[in-house]
Amino acid sequence: MSSPLIITAAVVGAETMREHTPHVPYTPQEIAQECQRCFEAGAAMVHVHGRHDDGAPTQDRETFQKILSEIRRRCGVLVQFSTGGAVGMDVEERIEALDLQPDMATLTTGSVNFGDNVFLNSLSTIRTIADRLRTLDITPEIEIFDTGMIDTALRLLDEGLLTEPLHFDFVLGVAGGMGASRRNLQFLVDSIPDGSTWSVAGMGRHELPLASAAIEMGGHVRVGLEDNIYLKKGVLARGSYELVEEVARRATNVGRNLATSEQARQILGISR
Ligand code: KMH
Ligand code: ZN
């Protein structure tokens, strides 16, 4: 029997702009409202980035404080902060909001070409973020864009910067990262330590097919406008909530229950 399915909604990201879709939220209120819609559609967790009112990405602490309090005021969804931010941000900027104590935060364990840019994560950067997460007792979600990033996560485990059980998110289909195939997903799942949990985030048109694969394989799923703006070919999702609804439907069709945020907390070993 698979455990209940954790759906994480990545509602904003750093790259999706109003030029791409009018439905991406920018302000803390818009972001929190979208998180609430996703929660009501079946998401147990939300993954959030910050934006200025004009849409420019920011990891600014004050912005994250507004986002967090607006979400907490509205619903009980688990809140995961991005520590990736946008390409080009320095490490201190990326982690300045962590003392607000989100339920979880991301940790990317390597660098990757990211379209025409490079998402830089030197070992020193990775250790700095991991150390901050450990000090603040925030559970990391380890973001894997390519296979070697698993090896680096295991190295941090050896160094005591991470503790088991580990939770991985396989981000597949980024231009420059690992391709979004079921074969790659299976390989990654086979490469993580026993007792780990995992989710998949497929980019663009790969999002929903990989969500279906994860539902069948006993993993968890991340969807949302950060990764994909279409519900189906040529049809924009009117918000991340429509993608959450679609995943919830697919899970129900094969008899997999959705995790509540409390169940997700237990599955992911979030202690606080
Ligand atoms: N915006 C990407 C460069 C994360 O949230 O931790 C990095 C990213 C990863 O989105
Ligand atoms: Zn992100």
Short mmCIF file of all heavy atoms in Angstrom, two decimals, residues 8-78:
data_model
loop_
_atom_site.label_atom_id
_atom_site.label_comp_id
_atom_site.label_asym_id
_atom_site.label_seq_id
_atom_site.Cartn_x
_atom_site.Cartn_y
_atom_site.Cartn_z
N THR A 8 2.59 18.99 -3.70
CA THR A 8 3.18 20.30 -3.40
C THR A 8 2.85 21.23 -4.56
O THR A 8 3.04 20.86 -5.73
CB THR A 8 4.71 20.19 -3.24
OG1 THR A 8 4.99 19.32 -2.15
CG2 THR A 8 5.34 21.56 -2.97
N ALA A 9 2.38 22.41 -4.24
CA ALA A 9 2.05 23.39 -5.29
C ALA A 9 3.14 24.46 -5.33
O ALA A 9 3.38 25.16 -4.34
CB ALA A 9 0.69 24.03 -5.00
N ALA A 10 3.80 24.54 -6.48
CA ALA A 10 4.84 25.57 -6.69
C ALA A 10 4.17 26.72 -7.42
O ALA A 10 4.09 26.73 -8.65
CB ALA A 10 5.99 24.98 -7.49
N VAL A 11 3.65 27.67 -6.66
CA VAL A 11 2.66 28.60 -7.20
C VAL A 11 3.24 29.82 -7.92
O VAL A 11 2.54 30.51 -8.65
CB VAL A 11 1.69 29.11 -6.10
CG1 VAL A 11 0.94 27.96 -5.46
CG2 VAL A 11 2.43 29.93 -5.05
N VAL A 12 4.54 30.09 -7.73
CA VAL A 12 5.03 31.36 -8.26
C VAL A 12 6.40 31.26 -8.95
O VAL A 12 6.58 31.73 -10.06
CB VAL A 12 4.99 32.46 -7.15
CG1 VAL A 12 5.71 32.05 -5.89
CG2 VAL A 12 5.55 33.78 -7.64
N GLY A 13 7.40 30.64 -8.28
CA GLY A 13 8.73 30.55 -8.87
C GLY A 13 9.39 31.91 -9.03
O GLY A 13 8.92 32.92 -8.50
N ALA A 14 10.47 31.90 -9.79
CA ALA A 14 11.20 33.15 -10.03
C ALA A 14 11.19 33.54 -11.49
O ALA A 14 11.61 34.64 -11.84
CB ALA A 14 12.64 33.00 -9.54
N GLU A 15 10.74 32.64 -12.34
CA GLU A 15 10.90 32.87 -13.78
C GLU A 15 9.58 33.09 -14.52
O GLU A 15 9.55 33.73 -15.58
CB GLU A 15 11.63 31.69 -14.44
CG GLU A 15 13.09 31.54 -14.04
CD GLU A 15 13.30 30.82 -12.71
OE1 GLU A 15 12.38 30.07 -12.30
OE2 GLU A 15 14.34 31.01 -12.07
N THR A 16 8.48 32.54 -14.01
CA THR A 16 7.20 32.66 -14.71
C THR A 16 6.67 34.08 -14.52
O THR A 16 6.51 34.55 -13.39
CB THR A 16 6.17 31.64 -14.15
OG1 THR A 16 6.75 30.34 -14.21
CG2 THR A 16 4.88 31.66 -14.95
N MET A 17 6.42 34.75 -15.62
CA MET A 17 6.02 36.17 -15.57
C MET A 17 4.62 36.34 -16.18
O MET A 17 4.12 35.47 -16.89
CB MET A 17 7.03 37.03 -16.35
CG MET A 17 8.47 36.91 -15.88
SD MET A 17 8.73 37.32 -14.14
CE MET A 17 8.44 39.08 -14.15
N ARG A 18 4.03 37.52 -15.93
CA ARG A 18 2.69 37.82 -16.49
C ARG A 18 2.70 37.79 -18.01
O ARG A 18 1.65 37.55 -18.63
CB ARG A 18 2.22 39.20 -16.00
CG ARG A 18 1.92 39.27 -14.51
CD ARG A 18 0.44 39.10 -14.18
NE ARG A 18 0.24 38.69 -12.80
CZ ARG A 18 0.19 39.53 -11.75
NH1 ARG A 18 0.28 40.83 -11.93
NH2 ARG A 18 0.02 39.05 -10.54
N GLU A 19 3.87 38.02 -18.62
CA GLU A 19 3.96 37.91 -20.09
C GLU A 19 3.72 36.46 -20.53
O GLU A 19 3.27 36.20 -21.64
CB GLU A 19 5.35 38.33 -20.60
CG GLU A 19 5.70 39.79 -20.38
CD GLU A 19 6.36 40.05 -19.05
OE1 GLU A 19 5.63 40.29 -18.06
OE2 GLU A 19 7.59 40.01 -18.99
N HIS A 20 4.05 35.51 -19.63
CA HIS A 20 3.85 34.10 -19.96
C HIS A 20 2.42 33.66 -19.66
O HIS A 20 1.82 32.92 -20.43
CB HIS A 20 4.81 33.21 -19.15
CG HIS A 20 6.25 33.59 -19.31
ND1 HIS A 20 7.08 33.90 -18.25
CD2 HIS A 20 7.01 33.73 -20.42
CE1 HIS A 20 8.29 34.20 -18.70
NE2 HIS A 20 8.28 34.10 -20.01
N THR A 21 1.92 34.09 -18.49
CA THR A 21 0.54 33.77 -18.11
C THR A 21 0.03 34.88 -17.19
O THR A 21 0.74 35.28 -16.26
CB THR A 21 0.42 32.40 -17.40
OG1 THR A 21 -0.93 32.28 -16.90
CG2 THR A 21 1.42 32.23 -16.26
N PRO A 22 -1.20 35.33 -17.41
CA PRO A 22 -1.74 36.37 -16.52
C PRO A 22 -2.07 35.83 -15.14
O PRO A 22 -2.40 36.60 -14.24
CB PRO A 22 -3.01 36.83 -17.25
CG PRO A 22 -3.41 35.67 -18.09
CD PRO A 22 -2.14 34.95 -18.49
N HIS A 23 -1.99 34.51 -14.97
CA HIS A 23 -2.48 33.89 -13.73
C HIS A 23 -1.42 33.72 -12.66
O HIS A 23 -1.71 33.22 -11.58
CB HIS A 23 -3.11 32.53 -14.05
CG HIS A 23 -4.18 32.62 -15.08
ND1 HIS A 23 -5.34 33.35 -14.89
CD2 HIS A 23 -4.27 32.12 -16.34
CE1 HIS A 23 -6.09 33.27 -15.98
NE2 HIS A 23 -5.46 32.54 -16.87
N VAL A 24 -0.18 34.13 -12.94
CA VAL A 24 0.87 33.95 -11.91
C VAL A 24 0.72 35.05 -10.85
O VAL A 24 0.55 36.23 -11.18
CB VAL A 24 2.28 33.92 -12.56
CG1 VAL A 24 2.66 35.25 -13.19
CG2 VAL A 24 3.34 33.51 -11.53
N PRO A 25 0.74 34.67 -9.56
CA PRO A 25 0.60 35.68 -8.51
C PRO A 25 1.92 36.39 -8.26
O PRO A 25 2.98 35.81 -8.42
CB PRO A 25 0.21 34.83 -7.28
CG PRO A 25 0.83 33.48 -7.54
CD PRO A 25 0.84 33.29 -9.03
N TYR A 26 1.85 37.65 -7.86
CA TYR A 26 3.05 38.42 -7.53
C TYR A 26 3.08 38.88 -6.05
O TYR A 26 4.04 38.66 -5.36
CB TYR A 26 3.15 39.68 -8.41
CG TYR A 26 3.63 39.47 -9.84
CD1 TYR A 26 3.53 40.53 -10.76
CD2 TYR A 26 4.20 38.28 -10.28
CE1 TYR A 26 3.97 40.39 -12.08
CE2 TYR A 26 4.64 38.14 -11.60
CZ TYR A 26 4.52 39.20 -12.50
OH TYR A 26 4.96 39.07 -13.79
N THR A 27 2.01 39.57 -5.64
CA THR A 27 2.06 40.17 -4.29
C THR A 27 1.87 39.08 -3.23
O THR A 27 1.33 38.00 -3.52
CB THR A 27 0.93 41.21 -4.12
OG1 THR A 27 -0.33 40.52 -4.13
CG2 THR A 27 0.94 42.26 -5.22
N PRO A 28 2.28 39.36 -1.98
CA PRO A 28 2.07 38.37 -0.92
C PRO A 28 0.61 37.93 -0.82
O PRO A 28 0.31 36.74 -0.62
CB PRO A 28 2.53 39.11 0.35
CG PRO A 28 3.58 40.04 -0.15
CD PRO A 28 3.08 40.50 -1.50
N GLN A 29 -0.31 38.87 -0.98
CA GLN A 29 -1.75 38.53 -0.88
C GLN A 29 -2.15 37.59 -2.03
O GLN A 29 -2.85 36.61 -1.83
CB GLN A 29 -2.62 39.80 -0.92
CG GLN A 29 -2.55 40.66 0.32
CD GLN A 29 -1.26 41.48 0.42
OE1 GLN A 29 -0.49 41.61 -0.54
NE2 GLN A 29 -1.00 42.03 1.59
N GLU A 30 -1.67 37.93 -3.23
CA GLU A 30 -2.02 37.06 -4.38
C GLU A 30 -1.40 35.67 -4.21
O GLU A 30 -2.03 34.65 -4.51
CB GLU A 30 -1.48 37.69 -5.67
CG GLU A 30 -2.22 38.93 -6.11
CD GLU A 30 -1.49 39.71 -7.21
OE1 GLU A 30 -0.33 39.38 -7.56
OE2 GLU A 30 -2.07 40.69 -7.70
N ILE A 31 -0.16 35.64 -3.73
CA ILE A 31 0.52 34.35 -3.55
C ILE A 31 -0.22 33.52 -2.49
O ILE A 31 -0.50 32.33 -2.70
CB ILE A 31 2.00 34.57 -3.16
CG1 ILE A 31 2.78 35.15 -4.34
CG2 ILE A 31 2.64 33.27 -2.67
CD1 ILE A 31 4.19 35.63 -4.03
N ALA A 32 -0.58 34.16 -1.38
CA ALA A 32 -1.27 33.44 -0.30
C ALA A 32 -2.65 32.96 -0.74
O ALA A 32 -3.07 31.85 -0.41
CB ALA A 32 -1.39 34.33 0.93
N GLN A 33 -3.34 33.79 -1.51
CA GLN A 33 -4.66 33.38 -2.00
C GLN A 33 -4.54 32.15 -2.91
O GLN A 33 -5.33 31.22 -2.82
CB GLN A 33 -5.28 34.55 -2.77
CG GLN A 33 -6.72 34.31 -3.16
CD GLN A 33 -7.29 35.53 -3.84
OE1 GLN A 33 -6.68 36.07 -4.77
NE2 GLN A 33 -8.43 35.98 -3.39
N GLU A 34 -3.51 32.15 -3.74
CA GLU A 34 -3.29 31.00 -4.63
C GLU A 34 -2.93 29.76 -3.80
O GLU A 34 -3.37 28.65 -4.11
CB GLU A 34 -2.19 31.34 -5.63
CG GLU A 34 -1.95 30.29 -6.69
CD GLU A 34 -3.19 29.95 -7.52
OE1 GLU A 34 -4.06 30.82 -7.72
OE2 GLU A 34 -3.28 28.79 -7.95
N CYS A 35 -2.14 29.95 -2.75
CA CYS A 35 -1.78 28.82 -1.87
C CYS A 35 -3.04 28.24 -1.22
O CYS A 35 -3.20 27.02 -1.12
CB CYS A 35 -0.80 29.27 -0.78
SG CYS A 35 0.84 29.65 -1.44
N GLN A 36 -3.94 29.12 -0.81
CA GLN A 36 -5.18 28.65 -0.19
C GLN A 36 -6.01 27.84 -1.20
O GLN A 36 -6.55 26.78 -0.89
CB GLN A 36 -5.98 29.85 0.32
CG GLN A 36 -7.27 29.44 1.00
CD GLN A 36 -8.10 30.62 1.47
OE1 GLN A 36 -7.79 31.78 1.18
NE2 GLN A 36 -9.15 30.34 2.20
N ARG A 37 -6.10 28.34 -2.44
CA ARG A 37 -6.85 27.61 -3.46
C ARG A 37 -6.23 26.22 -3.68
O ARG A 37 -6.93 25.22 -3.85
CB ARG A 37 -6.82 28.36 -4.80
CG ARG A 37 -7.70 29.58 -4.84
CD ARG A 37 -7.90 30.03 -6.30
NE ARG A 37 -8.38 31.40 -6.31
CZ ARG A 37 -7.67 32.46 -6.66
NH1 ARG A 37 -6.41 32.31 -7.09
NH2 ARG A 37 -8.18 33.66 -6.63
N CYS A 38 -4.91 26.17 -3.69
CA CYS A 38 -4.22 24.88 -3.89
C CYS A 38 -4.48 23.94 -2.72
O CYS A 38 -4.71 22.74 -2.91
CB CYS A 38 -2.72 25.10 -4.08
SG CYS A 38 -2.33 25.89 -5.64
N PHE A 39 -4.46 24.48 -1.51
CA PHE A 39 -4.75 23.69 -0.31
C PHE A 39 -6.16 23.11 -0.42
O PHE A 39 -6.38 21.91 -0.19
CB PHE A 39 -4.61 24.60 0.91
CG PHE A 39 -4.94 23.96 2.22
CD1 PHE A 39 -4.14 22.94 2.74
CD2 PHE A 39 -6.04 24.37 2.97
CE1 PHE A 39 -4.43 22.36 3.98
CE2 PHE A 39 -6.33 23.80 4.20
CZ PHE A 39 -5.53 22.79 4.70
N GLU A 40 -7.10 23.94 -0.81
CA GLU A 40 -8.49 23.48 -0.92
C GLU A 40 -8.65 22.46 -2.05
O GLU A 40 -9.54 21.61 -2.01
CB GLU A 40 -9.43 24.69 -1.13
CG GLU A 40 -9.58 25.48 0.17
CD GLU A 40 -10.19 26.88 -0.01
OE1 GLU A 40 -10.51 27.25 -1.17
OE2 GLU A 40 -10.32 27.58 1.01
N ALA A 41 -7.74 22.51 -3.03
CA ALA A 41 -7.80 21.54 -4.14
C ALA A 41 -7.06 20.24 -3.80
O ALA A 41 -7.11 19.29 -4.58
CB ALA A 41 -7.20 22.16 -5.39
N GLY A 42 -6.37 20.20 -2.68
CA GLY A 42 -5.73 18.93 -2.27
C GLY A 42 -4.24 19.00 -2.02
O GLY A 42 -3.62 17.97 -1.72
N ALA A 43 -3.63 20.17 -2.14
CA ALA A 43 -2.19 20.26 -1.86
C ALA A 43 -1.95 20.26 -0.35
O ALA A 43 -2.68 20.92 0.40
CB ALA A 43 -1.60 21.54 -2.47
N ALA A 44 -0.93 19.51 0.07
CA ALA A 44 -0.57 19.50 1.49
C ALA A 44 0.52 20.53 1.78
O ALA A 44 0.71 20.93 2.92
CB ALA A 44 -0.09 18.11 1.90
N MET A 45 1.25 20.91 0.72
CA MET A 45 2.38 21.83 0.91
C MET A 45 2.43 22.81 -0.27
O MET A 45 2.00 22.49 -1.38
CB MET A 45 3.69 21.02 0.99
CG MET A 45 4.93 21.86 1.18
SD MET A 45 6.22 20.97 2.07
CE MET A 45 6.60 19.67 0.91
N VAL A 46 2.99 23.98 0.02
CA VAL A 46 3.25 24.95 -1.06
C VAL A 46 4.73 25.30 -1.05
O VAL A 46 5.36 25.35 0.01
CB VAL A 46 2.40 26.24 -0.92
CG1 VAL A 46 0.94 25.94 -1.21
CG2 VAL A 46 2.57 26.88 0.46
N HIS A 47 5.27 25.51 -2.23
CA HIS A 47 6.67 25.92 -2.41
C HIS A 47 6.62 27.37 -2.88
O HIS A 47 6.01 27.65 -3.93
CB HIS A 47 7.33 25.00 -3.44
CG HIS A 47 8.63 25.50 -3.98
ND1 HIS A 47 9.82 25.31 -3.33
CD2 HIS A 47 8.92 26.20 -5.11
CE1 HIS A 47 10.80 25.86 -4.04
NE2 HIS A 47 10.28 26.40 -5.13
N VAL A 48 7.24 28.27 -2.13
CA VAL A 48 7.08 29.69 -2.47
C VAL A 48 8.41 30.41 -2.70
O VAL A 48 9.42 30.13 -2.06
CB VAL A 48 6.25 30.47 -1.41
CG1 VAL A 48 4.81 30.03 -1.42
CG2 VAL A 48 6.85 30.37 -0.02
N HIS A 49 8.36 31.33 -3.63
CA HIS A 49 9.40 32.34 -3.88
C HIS A 49 8.77 33.69 -3.58
O HIS A 49 7.55 33.81 -3.53
CB HIS A 49 9.81 32.33 -5.35
CG HIS A 49 10.58 31.14 -5.79
ND1 HIS A 49 11.87 31.20 -6.25
CD2 HIS A 49 10.23 29.83 -5.86
CE1 HIS A 49 12.29 30.00 -6.59
NE2 HIS A 49 11.32 29.14 -6.36
N GLY A 50 9.61 34.72 -3.46
CA GLY A 50 9.09 36.07 -3.27
C GLY A 50 9.16 36.86 -4.58
O GLY A 50 10.01 36.60 -5.44
N ARG A 51 8.25 37.82 -4.70
CA ARG A 51 8.26 38.75 -5.84
C ARG A 51 8.03 40.16 -5.34
O ARG A 51 7.30 40.38 -4.37
CB ARG A 51 7.13 38.40 -6.82
CG ARG A 51 7.21 37.02 -7.48
CD ARG A 51 8.35 36.90 -8.46
NE ARG A 51 8.28 35.62 -9.17
CZ ARG A 51 7.80 35.47 -10.41
NH1 ARG A 51 7.37 36.52 -11.09
NH2 ARG A 51 7.75 34.28 -10.98
N HIS A 52 8.64 41.12 -6.02
CA HIS A 52 8.24 42.51 -5.84
C HIS A 52 6.90 42.70 -6.57
O HIS A 52 6.50 41.86 -7.38
CB HIS A 52 9.31 43.45 -6.41
CG HIS A 52 10.59 43.42 -5.62
ND1 HIS A 52 10.67 43.85 -4.32
CD2 HIS A 52 11.84 43.01 -5.97
CE1 HIS A 52 11.91 43.72 -3.88
NE2 HIS A 52 12.65 43.20 -4.86
N ASP A 53 6.27 43.83 -6.32
CA ASP A 53 4.95 44.04 -6.91
C ASP A 53 4.98 44.05 -8.44
O ASP A 53 3.98 43.77 -9.10
CB ASP A 53 4.32 45.35 -6.39
CG ASP A 53 3.90 45.21 -4.92
OD1 ASP A 53 4.00 44.08 -4.38
OD2 ASP A 53 3.50 46.23 -4.33
N ASP A 54 6.15 44.39 -9.02
CA ASP A 54 6.25 44.38 -10.49
C ASP A 54 6.65 43.00 -11.02
O ASP A 54 6.86 42.83 -12.22
CB ASP A 54 7.26 45.44 -10.96
CG ASP A 54 8.70 45.11 -10.53
OD1 ASP A 54 8.90 44.12 -9.80
OD2 ASP A 54 9.61 45.85 -10.94
N GLY A 55 6.76 42.02 -10.13
CA GLY A 55 7.06 40.65 -10.56
C GLY A 55 8.52 40.27 -10.46
O GLY A 55 8.88 39.10 -10.58
N ALA A 56 9.40 41.23 -10.19
CA ALA A 56 10.83 40.89 -10.10
C ALA A 56 11.06 39.96 -8.90
O ALA A 56 10.50 40.20 -7.82
CB ALA A 56 11.66 42.16 -9.94
N PRO A 57 11.86 38.90 -9.10
CA PRO A 57 12.06 37.96 -8.00
C PRO A 57 12.85 38.57 -6.85
O PRO A 57 13.74 39.39 -7.07
CB PRO A 57 12.85 36.81 -8.64
CG PRO A 57 13.40 37.34 -9.90
CD PRO A 57 12.54 38.49 -10.33
N THR A 58 12.49 38.18 -5.62
CA THR A 58 13.22 38.64 -4.44
C THR A 58 13.17 37.55 -3.36
O THR A 58 12.20 36.80 -3.28
CB THR A 58 12.62 39.93 -3.86
OG1 THR A 58 13.34 40.26 -2.66
CG2 THR A 58 11.15 39.81 -3.53
N GLN A 59 14.22 37.48 -2.57
CA GLN A 59 14.23 36.57 -1.42
C GLN A 59 14.17 37.41 -0.13
O GLN A 59 14.46 36.88 0.96
CB GLN A 59 15.50 35.72 -1.44
CG GLN A 59 15.57 34.70 -2.57
CD GLN A 59 14.62 33.52 -2.37
OE1 GLN A 59 13.57 33.45 -3.03
NE2 GLN A 59 14.95 32.62 -1.47
N ASP A 60 13.78 38.63 -0.29
CA ASP A 60 13.74 39.59 0.81
C ASP A 60 12.92 39.06 2.00
O ASP A 60 11.80 38.60 1.85
CB ASP A 60 13.10 40.86 0.21
CG ASP A 60 12.75 41.86 1.25
OD1 ASP A 60 13.63 42.20 2.05
OD2 ASP A 60 11.58 42.29 1.27
N ARG A 61 13.51 39.20 3.20
CA ARG A 61 12.89 38.64 4.41
C ARG A 61 11.50 39.22 4.67
O ARG A 61 10.56 38.51 5.05
CB ARG A 61 13.81 38.92 5.60
CG ARG A 61 13.37 38.26 6.88
CD ARG A 61 14.35 38.52 8.01
NE ARG A 61 13.96 37.81 9.20
CZ ARG A 61 12.98 38.20 10.01
NH1 ARG A 61 12.31 39.29 9.76
NH2 ARG A 61 12.68 37.48 11.08
N GLU A 62 11.38 40.52 4.47
CA GLU A 62 10.09 41.19 4.74
C GLU A 62 8.99 40.65 3.82
O GLU A 62 7.85 40.42 4.23
CB GLU A 62 10.27 42.69 4.52
CG GLU A 62 9.29 43.54 5.28
CD GLU A 62 9.55 45.01 5.00
OE1 GLU A 62 10.72 45.45 5.08
OE2 GLU A 62 8.58 45.70 4.66
N THR A 63 9.36 40.43 2.57
CA THR A 63 8.38 39.87 1.62
C THR A 63 7.96 38.47 2.06
O THR A 63 6.77 38.14 2.06
CB THR A 63 9.01 39.81 0.21
OG1 THR A 63 9.48 41.11 -0.13
CG2 THR A 63 8.02 39.33 -0.83
N PHE A 64 8.94 37.66 2.46
CA PHE A 64 8.62 36.30 2.90
C PHE A 64 7.79 36.31 4.18
O PHE A 64 6.93 35.44 4.37
CB PHE A 64 9.90 35.47 3.07
CG PHE A 64 10.31 34.77 1.79
CD1 PHE A 64 11.01 35.45 0.81
CD2 PHE A 64 9.99 33.44 1.56
CE1 PHE A 64 11.38 34.83 -0.37
CE2 PHE A 64 10.34 32.81 0.37
CZ PHE A 64 11.05 33.50 -0.59
N GLN A 65 8.06 37.27 5.04
CA GLN A 65 7.28 37.37 6.28
C GLN A 65 5.80 37.63 5.95
O GLN A 65 4.91 37.01 6.52
CB GLN A 65 7.82 38.51 7.14
CG GLN A 65 7.22 38.57 8.52
CD GLN A 65 8.12 39.32 9.47
OE1 GLN A 65 8.77 40.30 9.08
NE2 GLN A 65 8.16 38.89 10.70
N LYS A 66 5.59 38.53 4.98
CA LYS A 66 4.20 38.83 4.58
C LYS A 66 3.55 37.59 3.95
O LYS A 66 2.41 37.26 4.24
CB LYS A 66 4.17 39.98 3.57
CG LYS A 66 4.44 41.34 4.20
CD LYS A 66 4.22 42.44 3.17
CE LYS A 66 4.77 43.77 3.69
NZ LYS A 66 5.33 44.63 2.67
N ILE A 67 4.31 36.92 3.09
CA ILE A 67 3.76 35.73 2.42
C ILE A 67 3.39 34.69 3.48
O ILE A 67 2.28 34.13 3.47
CB ILE A 67 4.78 35.15 1.42
CG1 ILE A 67 5.00 36.10 0.24
CG2 ILE A 67 4.33 33.77 0.92
CD1 ILE A 67 6.16 35.72 -0.67
N LEU A 68 4.31 34.43 4.40
CA LEU A 68 4.09 33.39 5.40
C LEU A 68 2.89 33.73 6.29
O LEU A 68 2.03 32.88 6.53
CB LEU A 68 5.36 33.21 6.25
CG LEU A 68 5.36 32.03 7.22
CD1 LEU A 68 5.20 30.70 6.48
CD2 LEU A 68 6.65 32.01 8.06
N SER A 69 2.82 34.97 6.75
CA SER A 69 1.71 35.28 7.67
C SER A 69 0.38 35.28 6.91
O SER A 69 -0.64 34.84 7.43
CB SER A 69 1.95 36.58 8.43
OG SER A 69 2.04 37.63 7.55
N GLU A 70 0.38 35.73 5.66
CA GLU A 70 -0.86 35.69 4.86
C GLU A 70 -1.32 34.24 4.63
O GLU A 70 -2.51 33.95 4.67
CB GLU A 70 -0.65 36.37 3.51
CG GLU A 70 -0.66 37.88 3.56
CD GLU A 70 -2.06 38.46 3.80
OE1 GLU A 70 -3.04 37.85 3.35
OE2 GLU A 70 -2.15 39.51 4.44
N ILE A 71 -0.35 33.35 4.38
CA ILE A 71 -0.74 31.94 4.17
C ILE A 71 -1.27 31.36 5.48
O ILE A 71 -2.34 30.74 5.51
CB ILE A 71 0.44 31.09 3.65
CG1 ILE A 71 0.91 31.57 2.28
CG2 ILE A 71 0.04 29.61 3.58
CD1 ILE A 71 2.19 30.90 1.79
N ARG A 72 -0.53 31.56 6.56
CA ARG A 72 -0.91 30.97 7.86
C ARG A 72 -2.29 31.47 8.31
O ARG A 72 -3.04 30.75 8.96
CB ARG A 72 0.13 31.32 8.91
CG ARG A 72 1.50 30.71 8.68
CD ARG A 72 1.81 29.63 9.71
NE ARG A 72 3.21 29.24 9.70
CZ ARG A 72 3.72 28.29 8.93
NH1 ARG A 72 2.94 27.64 8.09
NH2 ARG A 72 5.01 27.99 8.98
N ARG A 73 -2.59 32.74 7.99
CA ARG A 73 -3.88 33.31 8.36
C ARG A 73 -5.02 32.61 7.61
O ARG A 73 -6.14 32.51 8.10
CB ARG A 73 -3.86 34.80 7.97
CG ARG A 73 -4.96 35.65 8.51
CD ARG A 73 -4.69 37.13 8.22
NE ARG A 73 -4.70 37.49 6.81
CZ ARG A 73 -5.77 37.60 6.05
NH1 ARG A 73 -6.97 37.35 6.56
NH2 ARG A 73 -5.68 37.95 4.77
N ARG A 74 -4.71 32.11 6.40
CA ARG A 74 -5.77 31.58 5.55
C ARG A 74 -5.99 30.08 5.67
O ARG A 74 -7.10 29.60 5.51
CB ARG A 74 -5.45 31.87 4.07
CG ARG A 74 -5.57 33.31 3.69
CD ARG A 74 -4.81 33.57 2.41
NE ARG A 74 -4.78 34.97 2.09
CZ ARG A 74 -5.67 35.58 1.33
NH1 ARG A 74 -6.64 34.89 0.79
NH2 ARG A 74 -5.57 36.87 1.10
N CYS A 75 -4.91 29.32 5.90
CA CYS A 75 -5.07 27.86 5.87
C CYS A 75 -3.88 27.14 6.51
O CYS A 75 -2.87 27.76 6.83
CB CYS A 75 -5.25 27.37 4.43
SG CYS A 75 -3.82 27.65 3.37
N GLY A 76 -4.03 25.82 6.65
CA GLY A 76 -3.02 25.02 7.37
C GLY A 76 -2.05 24.31 6.44
O GLY A 76 -1.46 23.30 6.82
N VAL A 77 -1.87 24.81 5.23
CA VAL A 77 -0.95 24.16 4.30
C VAL A 77 0.49 24.29 4.82
O VAL A 77 0.84 25.29 5.47
CB VAL A 77 -1.10 24.79 2.88
CG1 VAL A 77 -0.45 26.17 2.78
CG2 VAL A 77 -0.57 23.86 1.80
N LEU A 78 1.32 23.26 4.60
CA LEU A 78 2.74 23.36 4.96
C LEU A 78 3.42 24.33 4.00
O LEU A 78 3.12 24.34 2.79
CB LEU A 78 3.43 21.99 4.86
CG LEU A 78 2.92 20.89 5.80
CD1 LEU A 78 3.69 19.59 5.57
CD2 LEU A 78 3.01 21.32 7.26
#
